[in-house]
Amino acid sequence: AAEAEEAEEEEQEEEEAAAEAKMNAASNEAKAKKKAFFEVDKVLGQKRKAREEAEREEAEAKKKWDEAKKKREKAAEEEKAAEEEKGQAGHETVDASKRFEAASSAYSELLLRL
């Protein structure tokens, strides 16, 4: 009877040891998975920061692009207005030259009559 009890006790100790080993292995695996999770989470955080930085740069570049476009459009409008002003001044110069020629001609005729 003592032998059977001893064998049963030994079997129980082996079961406990096996269960403890299983528990330790599961604990180690959980720790490793947790560590891997935090590493992946850290990488995700870095990638997210990089994306947000790129979005900020993109927004700044778009703002600069829009400003440059407005500046160019304003300069083109001012150039067009200056061309129109030049054209107007040219017409006025031609008109003034014609008036001068007519006045000069009238003056010459007057002098010839005297």
Side-chain angles (χ1 to χ4, degrees):
E3 268 182 37
E5 211 174 279
E6 206 173 288
E8 197 177 297
E9 212 175 278
E10 201 174 291
E11 193 179 305
Q12 196 176 349
E13 284 176 9
E14 285 175 12
E15 280 180 24
E16 282 179 19
E20 190 178 345
K22 225 177 185 180
M23 181 183 75
N24 287 339
S27 173
N28 290 340
E29 184 184 6
K31 285 177 187 170
K33 298 284 184 190
K34 189 175 179 183
K35 186 178 179 188
F37 170 83
F38 284 122
E39 287 299 315
V40 169
D41 189 50
K42 184 178 167 186
V43 169
L44 171 64
Q46 292 168 343
K47 301 293 182 193
R48 183 173 288 134
K49 267 187 183 170
R51 177 187 50 80
E52 289 169 353
E53 178 65 23
E55 285 174 352
R56 270 193 298 279
E57 289 175 7
E58 180 183 28
E60 286 174 19
K62 187 181 183 319
K63 187 178 172 188
K64 283 183 181 174
W65 167 262
D66 289 344
E67 288 171 1
K69 186 178 176 190
K70 283 180 189 165
K71 213 176 190 179
R72 179 186 53 79
E73 288 170 352
K74 185 179 179 206
E77 286 173 17
E78 290 174 353
E79 179 186 19
K80 186 178 177 188
E83 283 177 355
E84 289 171 3
E85 203 175 305
K86 179 184 172 189
Q88 184 62 38
H91 290 308
E92 290 172 6
T93 302
V94 168
D95 292 346
S97 290
K98 286 179 182 174
R99 282 194 301 276
F100 170 74
E101 285 175 25
S104 178
S105 179
Y107 179 70
S108 293
E109 283 179 29
L110 180 67
L111 288 179
L112 286 175
R113 277 192 255 141
L114 294 176

